[in-house]
Amino acid sequence: MASDNVGLPPRLRKEKHVAQIKATAEQSDCLIVAHNSGMTVKQFEQLRNSVREAGVTVSVQRNKLVKLAFKDTQFACADESLKGPTLLMFSKGELAPLAKLANSFKKDNKEKFDVIALVAESECHGGAELGVFASLPTRHEALSMLVGTLQAPVSKFVRTTKEPVTKLVRTFAAVAEKKQ
């Protein structure tokens, strides 16, 4: 990416960079904006490695370029959060798994990693809500819970209706065994 921009005038380089950020934003469904003041390269790589498997893109960009890229996207509401050393975490899919990853990393790096905003479906939420989103079940977990809840009354009904018949069969078997 950076090698593609070598030799370009600064304005064209910035325009190309804004286009790349915008493309990433348009391909993503949710975003976490965090301050990363004082993070070492090792900690940043640890964060990148931990979220890579979940399909999360982590980057540090210039706030001015990010604001230009976010214009007319679902992340436009995050403009006010773009102040200071900012880390962006883009994810395709649900916010809950991304929030769980960020919350886990935050527990280990309290002083150096602070979530400022969470954005999903064009709605901006404050960083204080990270714990709420992190505690939500993923879509798959929620569907599993729903199926379990719906299945429980049916299973109980089947057992209840089957039990008298089973009891009757056992009684007949005991009577037949006694007569032999």
mmCIF file of all heavy atoms in Angstrom, residues 3-46:
data_model
loop_
_atom_site.group_PDB
_atom_site.id
_atom_site.type_symbol
_atom_site.label_atom_id
_atom_site.label_comp_id
_atom_site.label_asym_id
_atom_site.label_seq_id
_atom_site.Cartn_x
_atom_site.Cartn_y
_atom_site.Cartn_z
ATOM 1 N N SER A 3 3.979 1.468 -0.684
ATOM 2 C CA SER A 3 4.865 1.489 -1.843
ATOM 3 C C SER A 3 4.137 1.983 -3.091
ATOM 4 O O SER A 3 4.765 2.477 -4.014
ATOM 5 C CB SER A 3 5.463 0.104 -2.075
ATOM 6 O OG SER A 3 4.430 -0.813 -2.349
ATOM 7 N N ASP A 4 2.814 1.862 -3.147
ATOM 8 C CA ASP A 4 2.042 2.363 -4.283
ATOM 9 C C ASP A 4 2.041 3.881 -4.320
ATOM 10 O O ASP A 4 1.857 4.475 -5.370
ATOM 11 C CB ASP A 4 0.578 1.890 -4.201
ATOM 12 C CG ASP A 4 0.475 0.382 -4.317
ATOM 13 O OD1 ASP A 4 1.446 -0.249 -4.759
ATOM 14 O OD2 ASP A 4 -0.589 -0.149 -3.958
ATOM 15 N N ASN A 5 2.236 4.514 -3.182
ATOM 16 C CA ASN A 5 2.148 5.965 -3.074
ATOM 17 C C ASN A 5 3.485 6.673 -3.274
ATOM 18 O O ASN A 5 3.546 7.890 -3.276
ATOM 19 C CB ASN A 5 1.568 6.363 -1.717
ATOM 20 C CG ASN A 5 0.144 5.877 -1.551
ATOM 21 O OD1 ASN A 5 -0.564 5.665 -2.522
ATOM 22 N ND2 ASN A 5 -0.268 5.681 -0.320
ATOM 23 N N VAL A 6 4.576 5.917 -3.432
ATOM 24 C CA VAL A 6 5.890 6.522 -3.578
ATOM 25 C C VAL A 6 5.927 7.321 -4.881
ATOM 26 O O VAL A 6 5.509 6.851 -5.932
ATOM 27 C CB VAL A 6 7.000 5.437 -3.582
ATOM 28 C CG1 VAL A 6 8.356 6.035 -3.868
ATOM 29 C CG2 VAL A 6 7.002 4.707 -2.258
ATOM 30 N N GLY A 7 6.417 8.533 -4.769
ATOM 31 C CA GLY A 7 6.545 9.385 -5.953
ATOM 32 C C GLY A 7 5.315 10.216 -6.260
ATOM 33 O O GLY A 7 5.342 11.059 -7.142
ATOM 34 N N LEU A 8 4.220 9.983 -5.565
ATOM 35 C CA LEU A 8 3.001 10.771 -5.790
ATOM 36 C C LEU A 8 3.091 12.079 -5.011
ATOM 37 O O LEU A 8 3.676 12.120 -3.929
ATOM 38 C CB LEU A 8 1.759 10.001 -5.328
ATOM 39 C CG LEU A 8 1.317 8.809 -6.152
ATOM 40 C CD1 LEU A 8 0.130 8.136 -5.474
ATOM 41 C CD2 LEU A 8 0.928 9.209 -7.552
ATOM 42 N N PRO A 9 2.480 13.124 -5.535
ATOM 43 C CA PRO A 9 2.420 14.369 -4.761
ATOM 44 C C PRO A 9 1.635 14.138 -3.466
ATOM 45 O O PRO A 9 0.760 13.271 -3.415
ATOM 46 C CB PRO A 9 1.660 15.332 -5.686
ATOM 47 C CG PRO A 9 1.723 14.721 -7.040
ATOM 48 C CD PRO A 9 1.887 13.248 -6.840
ATOM 49 N N PRO A 10 1.932 14.906 -2.419
ATOM 50 C CA PRO A 10 1.268 14.695 -1.117
ATOM 51 C C PRO A 10 -0.254 14.690 -1.197
ATOM 52 O O PRO A 10 -0.903 13.877 -0.550
ATOM 53 C CB PRO A 10 1.776 15.860 -0.264
ATOM 54 C CG PRO A 10 3.059 16.256 -0.890
ATOM 55 C CD PRO A 10 2.925 15.961 -2.348
ATOM 56 N N ARG A 11 -0.826 15.571 -1.973
ATOM 57 C CA ARG A 11 -2.287 15.644 -2.066
ATOM 58 C C ARG A 11 -2.865 14.353 -2.648
ATOM 59 O O ARG A 11 -3.851 13.816 -2.144
ATOM 60 C CB ARG A 11 -2.700 16.845 -2.914
ATOM 61 C CG ARG A 11 -4.209 16.971 -3.026
ATOM 62 C CD ARG A 11 -4.606 18.224 -3.799
ATOM 63 N NE ARG A 11 -6.010 18.246 -4.051
ATOM 64 C CZ ARG A 11 -6.907 18.816 -3.271
ATOM 65 N NH1 ARG A 11 -6.525 19.399 -2.167
ATOM 66 N NH2 ARG A 11 -8.186 18.789 -3.575
ATOM 67 N N LEU A 12 -2.238 13.827 -3.690
ATOM 68 C CA LEU A 12 -2.724 12.577 -4.285
ATOM 69 C C LEU A 12 -2.540 11.402 -3.332
ATOM 70 O O LEU A 12 -3.378 10.504 -3.269
ATOM 71 C CB LEU A 12 -2.011 12.305 -5.605
ATOM 72 C CG LEU A 12 -2.437 13.171 -6.782
ATOM 73 C CD1 LEU A 12 -1.588 12.858 -8.004
ATOM 74 C CD2 LEU A 12 -3.907 12.955 -7.098
ATOM 75 N N ARG A 13 -1.418 11.418 -2.593
ATOM 76 C CA ARG A 13 -1.206 10.362 -1.602
ATOM 77 C C ARG A 13 -2.308 10.366 -0.558
ATOM 78 O O ARG A 13 -2.839 9.318 -0.187
ATOM 79 C CB ARG A 13 0.138 10.559 -0.896
ATOM 80 C CG ARG A 13 1.257 9.784 -1.541
ATOM 81 C CD ARG A 13 2.457 9.890 -0.697
ATOM 82 N NE ARG A 13 2.912 11.279 -0.804
ATOM 83 C CZ ARG A 13 4.065 11.741 -0.394
ATOM 84 N NH1 ARG A 13 4.897 10.963 0.215
ATOM 85 N NH2 ARG A 13 4.400 12.988 -0.549
ATOM 86 N N LYS A 14 -2.665 11.555 -0.082
ATOM 87 C CA LYS A 14 -3.721 11.675 0.925
ATOM 88 C C LYS A 14 -5.070 11.255 0.359
ATOM 89 O O LYS A 14 -5.846 10.565 1.024
ATOM 90 C CB LYS A 14 -3.790 13.111 1.452
ATOM 91 C CG LYS A 14 -2.603 13.459 2.325
ATOM 92 C CD LYS A 14 -2.646 14.901 2.776
ATOM 93 C CE LYS A 14 -1.399 15.252 3.581
ATOM 94 N NZ LYS A 14 -1.353 16.670 3.921
ATOM 95 N N GLU A 15 -5.355 11.640 -0.881
ATOM 96 C CA GLU A 15 -6.625 11.256 -1.502
ATOM 97 C C GLU A 15 -6.715 9.739 -1.646
ATOM 98 O O GLU A 15 -7.767 9.140 -1.398
ATOM 99 C CB GLU A 15 -6.773 11.925 -2.869
ATOM 100 C CG GLU A 15 -7.087 13.404 -2.789
ATOM 101 C CD GLU A 15 -7.108 14.079 -4.153
ATOM 102 O OE1 GLU A 15 -6.896 13.402 -5.184
ATOM 103 O OE2 GLU A 15 -7.340 15.304 -4.188
ATOM 104 N N LYS A 16 -5.604 9.132 -2.028
ATOM 105 C CA LYS A 16 -5.569 7.671 -2.165
ATOM 106 C C LYS A 16 -5.753 7.006 -0.802
ATOM 107 O O LYS A 16 -6.457 6.005 -0.671
ATOM 108 C CB LYS A 16 -4.242 7.263 -2.799
ATOM 109 C CG LYS A 16 -4.245 5.899 -3.402
ATOM 110 C CD LYS A 16 -2.977 5.675 -4.197
ATOM 111 C CE LYS A 16 -3.060 4.367 -4.920
ATOM 112 N NZ LYS A 16 -1.868 4.093 -5.721
ATOM 113 N N HIS A 17 -5.118 7.581 0.222
ATOM 114 C CA HIS A 17 -5.233 7.041 1.584
ATOM 115 C C HIS A 17 -6.674 7.154 2.090
ATOM 116 O O HIS A 17 -7.200 6.215 2.693
ATOM 117 C CB HIS A 17 -4.260 7.782 2.503
ATOM 118 C CG HIS A 17 -3.993 7.089 3.781
ATOM 119 N ND1 HIS A 17 -3.276 5.922 3.859
ATOM 120 C CD2 HIS A 17 -4.387 7.380 5.055
ATOM 121 C CE1 HIS A 17 -3.220 5.524 5.115
ATOM 122 N NE2 HIS A 17 -3.886 6.391 5.862
ATOM 123 N N VAL A 18 -7.314 8.302 1.835
ATOM 124 C CA VAL A 18 -8.715 8.509 2.233
ATOM 125 C C VAL A 18 -9.599 7.478 1.532
ATOM 126 O O VAL A 18 -10.500 6.893 2.142
ATOM 127 C CB VAL A 18 -9.179 9.952 1.925
ATOM 128 C CG1 VAL A 18 -10.691 10.075 2.031
ATOM 129 C CG2 VAL A 18 -8.504 10.935 2.858
ATOM 130 N N ALA A 19 -9.328 7.222 0.255
ATOM 131 C CA ALA A 19 -10.116 6.234 -0.501
ATOM 132 C C ALA A 19 -9.955 4.832 0.095
ATOM 133 O O ALA A 19 -10.925 4.062 0.169
ATOM 134 C CB ALA A 19 -9.701 6.250 -1.965
ATOM 135 N N GLN A 20 -8.740 4.500 0.546
ATOM 136 C CA GLN A 20 -8.509 3.186 1.162
ATOM 137 C C GLN A 20 -9.267 3.063 2.485
ATOM 138 O O GLN A 20 -9.862 2.021 2.773
ATOM 139 C CB GLN A 20 -7.016 2.963 1.395
ATOM 140 C CG GLN A 20 -6.231 2.738 0.125
ATOM 141 C CD GLN A 20 -4.732 2.701 0.370
ATOM 142 O OE1 GLN A 20 -4.248 3.133 1.418
ATOM 143 N NE2 GLN A 20 -3.994 2.191 -0.602
ATOM 144 N N ILE A 21 -9.242 4.117 3.291
ATOM 145 C CA ILE A 21 -9.962 4.096 4.572
ATOM 146 C C ILE A 21 -11.459 3.983 4.316
ATOM 147 O O ILE A 21 -12.161 3.211 4.970
ATOM 148 C CB ILE A 21 -9.658 5.365 5.401
ATOM 149 C CG1 ILE A 21 -8.177 5.431 5.757
ATOM 150 C CG2 ILE A 21 -10.507 5.408 6.667
ATOM 151 C CD1 ILE A 21 -7.728 6.771 6.326
ATOM 152 N N LYS A 22 -11.941 4.740 3.334
ATOM 153 C CA LYS A 22 -13.373 4.713 3.002
ATOM 154 C C LYS A 22 -13.786 3.321 2.525
ATOM 155 O O LYS A 22 -14.848 2.815 2.894
ATOM 156 C CB LYS A 22 -13.694 5.761 1.942
ATOM 157 C CG LYS A 22 -15.176 5.914 1.695
ATOM 158 C CD LYS A 22 -15.456 7.113 0.823
ATOM 159 C CE LYS A 22 -16.941 7.319 0.742
ATOM 160 N NZ LYS A 22 -17.347 8.633 1.194
ATOM 161 N N ALA A 23 -12.945 2.680 1.712
ATOM 162 C CA ALA A 23 -13.247 1.325 1.223
ATOM 163 C C ALA A 23 -13.329 0.348 2.394
ATOM 164 O O ALA A 23 -14.234 -0.496 2.451
ATOM 165 C CB ALA A 23 -12.184 0.873 0.226
ATOM 166 N N THR A 24 -12.408 0.465 3.351
ATOM 167 C CA THR A 24 -12.440 -0.396 4.533
ATOM 168 C C THR A 24 -13.719 -0.147 5.331
ATOM 169 O O THR A 24 -14.378 -1.089 5.786
ATOM 170 C CB THR A 24 -11.209 -0.141 5.429
ATOM 171 O OG1 THR A 24 -10.034 -0.386 4.670
ATOM 172 C CG2 THR A 24 -11.221 -1.039 6.644
ATOM 173 N N ALA A 25 -14.079 1.131 5.477
ATOM 174 C CA ALA A 25 -15.288 1.487 6.230
ATOM 175 C C ALA A 25 -16.544 0.952 5.557
ATOM 176 O O ALA A 25 -17.453 0.458 6.222
ATOM 177 C CB ALA A 25 -15.384 3.007 6.388
ATOM 178 N N GLU A 26 -16.596 1.030 4.242
ATOM 179 C CA GLU A 26 -17.787 0.573 3.523
ATOM 180 C C GLU A 26 -17.924 -0.949 3.549
ATOM 181 O O GLU A 26 -19.024 -1.474 3.431
ATOM 182 C CB GLU A 26 -17.760 1.095 2.085
ATOM 183 C CG GLU A 26 -18.030 2.591 2.022
ATOM 184 C CD GLU A 26 -17.852 3.185 0.631
ATOM 185 O OE1 GLU A 26 -17.244 2.518 -0.239
ATOM 186 O OE2 GLU A 26 -18.306 4.318 0.435
ATOM 187 N N GLN A 27 -16.817 -1.658 3.723
ATOM 188 C CA GLN A 27 -16.861 -3.121 3.792
ATOM 189 C C GLN A 27 -17.112 -3.620 5.206
ATOM 190 O O GLN A 27 -17.282 -4.811 5.424
ATOM 191 C CB GLN A 27 -15.542 -3.710 3.276
ATOM 192 C CG GLN A 27 -15.306 -3.470 1.806
ATOM 193 C CD GLN A 27 -13.901 -3.878 1.383
ATOM 194 O OE1 GLN A 27 -13.114 -4.348 2.195
ATOM 195 N NE2 GLN A 27 -13.594 -3.694 0.122
ATOM 196 N N SER A 28 -17.119 -2.705 6.166
ATOM 197 C CA SER A 28 -17.275 -3.087 7.573
ATOM 198 C C SER A 28 -18.673 -2.782 8.079
ATOM 199 O O SER A 28 -19.351 -1.903 7.566
ATOM 200 C CB SER A 28 -16.256 -2.325 8.421
ATOM 201 O OG SER A 28 -14.950 -2.603 7.981
ATOM 202 N N ASP A 29 -19.078 -3.533 9.099
ATOM 203 C CA ASP A 29 -20.395 -3.349 9.702
ATOM 204 C C ASP A 29 -20.329 -2.615 11.035
ATOM 205 O O ASP A 29 -21.313 -2.028 11.473
ATOM 206 C CB ASP A 29 -21.082 -4.700 9.914
ATOM 207 C CG ASP A 29 -21.369 -5.405 8.603
ATOM 208 O OD1 ASP A 29 -21.732 -4.723 7.630
ATOM 209 O OD2 ASP A 29 -21.217 -6.635 8.552
ATOM 210 N N CYS A 30 -19.185 -2.692 11.715
ATOM 211 C CA CYS A 30 -19.076 -2.020 13.007
ATOM 212 C C CYS A 30 -17.650 -1.522 13.222
ATOM 213 O O CYS A 30 -16.712 -1.968 12.563
ATOM 214 C CB CYS A 30 -19.531 -2.925 14.144
ATOM 215 S SG CYS A 30 -18.738 -4.514 14.214
ATOM 216 N N LEU A 31 -17.528 -0.606 14.156
ATOM 217 C CA LEU A 31 -16.260 0.070 14.402
ATOM 218 C C LEU A 31 -16.112 0.361 15.888
ATOM 219 O O LEU A 31 -17.087 0.695 16.559
ATOM 220 C CB LEU A 31 -16.240 1.397 13.626
ATOM 221 C CG LEU A 31 -15.177 2.430 13.983
ATOM 222 C CD1 LEU A 31 -13.823 1.998 13.444
ATOM 223 C CD2 LEU A 31 -15.554 3.785 13.420
ATOM 224 N N ILE A 32 -14.889 0.225 16.363
ATOM 225 C CA ILE A 32 -14.552 0.684 17.707
ATOM 226 C C ILE A 32 -13.439 1.705 17.554
ATOM 227 O O ILE A 32 -12.452 1.464 16.867
ATOM 228 C CB ILE A 32 -14.107 -0.475 18.625
ATOM 229 C CG1 ILE A 32 -15.315 -1.343 18.980
ATOM 230 C CG2 ILE A 32 -13.440 0.056 19.887
ATOM 231 C CD1 ILE A 32 -15.033 -2.468 19.941
ATOM 232 N N VAL A 33 -13.634 2.861 18.182
ATOM 233 C CA VAL A 33 -12.623 3.913 18.203
ATOM 234 C C VAL A 33 -12.040 3.921 19.608
ATOM 235 O O VAL A 33 -12.780 3.998 20.592
ATOM 236 C CB VAL A 33 -13.243 5.299 17.879
ATOM 237 C CG1 VAL A 33 -12.186 6.377 17.924
ATOM 238 C CG2 VAL A 33 -13.944 5.279 16.529
ATOM 239 N N ALA A 34 -10.717 3.821 19.682
ATOM 240 C CA ALA A 34 -10.061 3.777 20.993
ATOM 241 C C ALA A 34 -8.852 4.690 21.007
ATOM 242 O O ALA A 34 -8.248 4.946 19.968
ATOM 243 C CB ALA A 34 -9.636 2.349 21.308
ATOM 244 N N HIS A 35 -8.504 5.176 22.198
ATOM 245 C CA HIS A 35 -7.252 5.906 22.379
ATOM 246 C C HIS A 35 -6.195 4.890 22.756
ATOM 247 O O HIS A 35 -6.435 4.012 23.583
ATOM 248 C CB HIS A 35 -7.391 6.953 23.477
ATOM 249 C CG HIS A 35 -8.065 8.194 22.998
ATOM 250 N ND1 HIS A 35 -8.399 9.215 23.839
ATOM 251 C CD2 HIS A 35 -8.459 8.600 21.764
ATOM 252 C CE1 HIS A 35 -8.977 10.183 23.148
ATOM 253 N NE2 HIS A 35 -9.038 9.815 21.894
ATOM 254 N N ASN A 36 -5.039 5.035 22.151
ATOM 255 C CA ASN A 36 -3.975 4.060 22.382
ATOM 256 C C ASN A 36 -2.695 4.740 22.846
ATOM 257 O O ASN A 36 -1.610 4.370 22.437
ATOM 258 C CB ASN A 36 -3.721 3.250 21.116
ATOM 259 C CG ASN A 36 -3.237 4.110 19.963
ATOM 260 O OD1 ASN A 36 -3.691 5.232 19.798
ATOM 261 N ND2 ASN A 36 -2.336 3.591 19.158
ATOM 262 N N SER A 37 -2.818 5.705 23.698
ATOM 263 C CA SER A 37 -1.634 6.455 24.125
ATOM 264 C C SER A 37 -0.693 5.584 24.945
ATOM 265 O O SER A 37 -1.088 4.950 25.913
ATOM 266 C CB SER A 37 -2.040 7.684 24.925
ATOM 267 O OG SER A 37 -2.825 7.307 26.024
ATOM 268 N N GLY A 38 0.560 5.563 24.524
ATOM 269 C CA GLY A 38 1.582 4.841 25.266
ATOM 270 C C GLY A 38 1.697 3.365 24.961
ATOM 271 O O GLY A 38 2.464 2.665 25.620
ATOM 272 N N MET A 39 0.950 2.864 23.983
ATOM 273 C CA MET A 39 1.065 1.448 23.650
ATOM 274 C C MET A 39 2.403 1.180 22.969
ATOM 275 O O MET A 39 2.831 1.944 22.108
ATOM 276 C CB MET A 39 -0.069 1.010 22.702
ATOM 277 C CG MET A 39 -1.348 0.687 23.406
ATOM 278 S SD MET A 39 -2.694 0.204 22.291
ATOM 279 C CE MET A 39 -2.098 -1.293 21.581
ATOM 280 N N THR A 40 3.041 0.102 23.360
ATOM 281 C CA THR A 40 4.291 -0.279 22.708
ATOM 282 C C THR A 40 3.965 -1.042 21.431
ATOM 283 O O THR A 40 2.825 -1.480 21.224
ATOM 284 C CB THR A 40 5.133 -1.181 23.634
ATOM 285 O OG1 THR A 40 4.402 -2.395 23.868
ATOM 286 C CG2 THR A 40 5.453 -0.497 24.952
ATOM 287 N N VAL A 41 4.958 -1.213 20.601
ATOM 288 C CA VAL A 41 4.780 -1.960 19.361
ATOM 289 C C VAL A 41 4.377 -3.401 19.693
ATOM 290 O O VAL A 41 3.514 -3.983 19.035
ATOM 291 C CB VAL A 41 6.074 -1.933 18.510
ATOM 292 C CG1 VAL A 41 5.963 -2.847 17.310
ATOM 293 C CG2 VAL A 41 6.388 -0.515 18.073
ATOM 294 N N LYS A 42 4.966 -3.958 20.738
ATOM 295 C CA LYS A 42 4.644 -5.329 21.151
ATOM 296 C C LYS A 42 3.172 -5.452 21.543
ATOM 297 O O LYS A 42 2.489 -6.405 21.156
ATOM 298 C CB LYS A 42 5.550 -5.736 22.309
ATOM 299 C CG LYS A 42 5.399 -7.177 22.719
ATOM 300 C CD LYS A 42 6.378 -7.539 23.823
ATOM 301 C CE LYS A 42 6.206 -8.997 24.211
ATOM 302 N NZ LYS A 42 7.114 -9.388 25.290
ATOM 303 N N GLN A 43 2.658 -4.467 22.291
ATOM 304 C CA GLN A 43 1.250 -4.493 22.701
ATOM 305 C C GLN A 43 0.334 -4.335 21.492
ATOM 306 O O GLN A 43 -0.702 -4.990 21.408
ATOM 307 C CB GLN A 43 0.973 -3.387 23.717
ATOM 308 C CG GLN A 43 1.604 -3.632 25.056
ATOM 309 C CD GLN A 43 1.555 -2.409 25.948
ATOM 310 O OE1 GLN A 43 1.676 -1.274 25.488
ATOM 311 N NE2 GLN A 43 1.388 -2.654 27.246
ATOM 312 N N PHE A 44 0.720 -3.453 20.572
ATOM 313 C CA PHE A 44 -0.081 -3.248 19.365
ATOM 314 C C PHE A 44 -0.123 -4.526 18.526
ATOM 315 O O PHE A 44 -1.180 -4.914 18.028
ATOM 316 C CB PHE A 44 0.491 -2.075 18.550
ATOM 317 C CG PHE A 44 -0.393 -1.649 17.425
ATOM 318 C CD1 PHE A 44 -1.567 -0.949 17.674
ATOM 319 C CD2 PHE A 44 -0.074 -1.943 16.112
ATOM 320 C CE1 PHE A 44 -2.405 -0.559 16.639
ATOM 321 C CE2 PHE A 44 -0.894 -1.562 15.068
ATOM 322 C CZ PHE A 44 -2.060 -0.859 15.332
ATOM 323 N N GLU A 45 1.008 -5.185 18.376
ATOM 324 C CA GLU A 45 1.053 -6.448 17.632
ATOM 325 C C GLU A 45 0.248 -7.531 18.348
ATOM 326 O O GLU A 45 -0.412 -8.351 17.703
ATOM 327 C CB GLU A 45 2.504 -6.910 17.436
ATOM 328 C CG GLU A 45 3.247 -6.102 16.400
ATOM 329 C CD GLU A 45 2.581 -6.118 15.035
ATOM 330 O OE1 GLU A 45 2.160 -7.192 14.578
ATOM 331 O OE2 GLU A 45 2.448 -5.033 14.438
ATOM 332 N N GLN A 46 0.280 -7.521 19.678
ATOM 333 C CA GLN A 46 -0.519 -8.474 20.456
ATOM 334 C C GLN A 46 -2.008 -8.260 20.170
ATOM 335 O O GLN A 46 -2.752 -9.217 19.973
ATOM 336 C CB GLN A 46 -0.228 -8.295 21.943
ATOM 337 C CG GLN A 46 -1.012 -9.207 22.848
ATOM 338 C CD GLN A 46 -0.813 -8.854 24.323
ATOM 339 O OE1 GLN A 46 -0.142 -7.891 24.675
ATOM 340 N NE2 GLN A 46 -1.414 -9.658 25.182
#
